[in-house]
Amino acid sequence: PKGTTVLGVDIGGGTRDAAVIKLDAALGKRASAPLLLSVGGKTEELSPDKAGLSLDSQATVRDAAGSDYNPVSVIGSLFGGQRIAQPVIPVDQEKLSAALTDLAGVSGSATEGTIKFEPGRAVAVPGKSGQSLDVSHSIISVRDAYRSQVQTGRTNTVELPIAPRDPTITQAELDRAMNEFAKPAMSDLITIKAGDKQIQFGPAKSLPKILSMKAIDGRLVEVYDKKAIEELLEGVFDGITITKGDGKQHPVSADDVAQAMQKALLGTTPAERTQVIDLDPS
């Protein structure tokens, strides 16, 4: 309705689509600006998108339009009154918790045990006790800070609570991950084939760019850097397609290569360390 505003932006008098465009144009920048978080005296940036925080312009406009039926609002708009609609700012709690958990791993003085992949070798790095971000008590602070940022357009540094933290990765888990994955992975070249093309990844240069390990529930899990894989592929599989679950042809992707790498990295012979991407898995 005419005279409807959201955070000072007049979205009334036009179509819903026009209102969404107007809202995004006026508030999109502040809604996507990274949050500034202070953890133990160290300032970190957190992307709203990564943290599951957003301004839902469509839902905001839908809610504003849906309240036309309030007689007071309708009368107010007929006589030139202004009605203020509230922005819809959904929070993906799971995503926010995961983002803060990741942040806890790199902030503060506590460190998690991990395995680093360096040229030609894998190195076990034990964790150490210390202070780290208190994830559960930080969720509300971050949520409120984002809402304030969207409402005011100002980005203020938010000080988050810290708490004592011990590493979740034990020496036994480090040993397991090293023996079961890291050492075999870095033992030799692997070859990935698709169609009539192939590419090799080796421990001297490419594998350290691709591989890392992440602590999840007390266990180290291997992580494949898809962006690094794409860069290293240099288009070697261009023109080769794979039939996916939807029955359609898709270009061979970094995900397909990473999936093939998982088995190849555990092989002990050249044959086992060569994997062929199935182009028609159905």
Side-chain angles (χ1 to χ4, degrees), residues 19-268:
V20 169
I21 292 170
K22 193 180 289 187
L23 207 54
D24 283 338
L27 304 178
K29 191 173 181 180
R30 65 172 74 171
S32 61
L35 291 157
L36 295 180
L37 309 176
S38 176
V39 185
K42 183 180 178 184
T43 300
E44 304 279 357
E45 286 192 354
L46 180 63
S47 162
D49 180 59
K50 182 183 178 184
L53 300 164
S54 62
L55 168 64
D56 191 333
S57 298
Q58 292 194 350
T60 299
V61 171
R62 189 165 56 245
D63 284 3
S67 56
D68 286 358
Y69 302 105
N70 183 323
V72 177
S73 295
V74 174
I75 291 170
S77 65
L78 288 174
F79 288 93
Q82 187 181 70
R83 190 165 60 80
I84 298 173
Q86 294 302 311
V88 177
I89 302 176
V91 179
D92 185 328
Q93 294 283 0
E94 190 175 333
K95 211 171 176 183
L96 177 55
S97 179
L100 290 176
T101 299
D102 285 347
L103 185 61
V106 297
S107 61
S109 58
T111 59
E112 190 57 271
T114 190
I115 292 174
K116 291 187 176 180
F117 294 88
E118 299 178 351
R121 63 177 188 157
V123 180
V125 182
K128 66 174 184 177
S129 300
Q131 299 286 324
S132 187
L133 174 67
D134 186 336
V135 173
S136 60
H137 287 93
S138 296
I139 289 177
I140 294 174
S141 298
V142 173
R143 184 194 66 195
D144 291 348
Y146 179 71
R147 177 174 283 275
S148 174
Q149 177 173 293
V150 172
Q151 290 174 335
T152 66
R154 292 191 299 272
T155 301
N156 297 315
T157 301
V158 184
E159 190 163 341
L160 298 181
I162 58 174
R165 178 170 170 263
D166 294 322
T168 63
I169 300 301
T170 63
Q171 185 60 49
E173 174 57 16
L174 270 178
D175 292 342
R176 182 206 64 78
M178 179 66 81
N179 293 324
E180 291 184 10
F181 178 76
K183 282 183 178 178
M186 295 291 282
S187 64
D188 205 348
L189 291 168
I190 62 169
T191 303
I192 305 299
K193 297 181 176 182
D196 59 352
K197 304 286 181 63
Q198 69 175 46
I199 187 171
Q200 289 188 316
F201 300 104
K205 292 182 179 179
S206 54
L207 289 178
K209 295 178 181 177
I210 296 170
L211 298 176
S212 61
M213 301 204 85
K214 182 177 182 178
I216 298 178
D217 296 331
R219 187 177 176 87
L220 283 174
V221 177
E222 64 267 25
V223 177
Y224 298 82
D225 188 326
K226 306 297 173 55
K227 188 175 179 182
I229 292 175
E230 285 177 2
E231 290 174 355
L232 290 164
L233 283 175
E234 294 183 331
V236 71
F237 293 138
D238 284 358
I240 298 176
T241 58
I242 180 171
T243 305
K244 294 294 180 78
D246 59 5
K248 296 179 180 178
Q249 297 285 314
H250 296 265
V252 171
S253 68
D255 283 308
D256 299 317
V257 174
Q259 193 171 352
M261 288 178 70
Q262 292 176 23
K263 190 172 181 181
L265 289 168
L266 301 179
T268 56

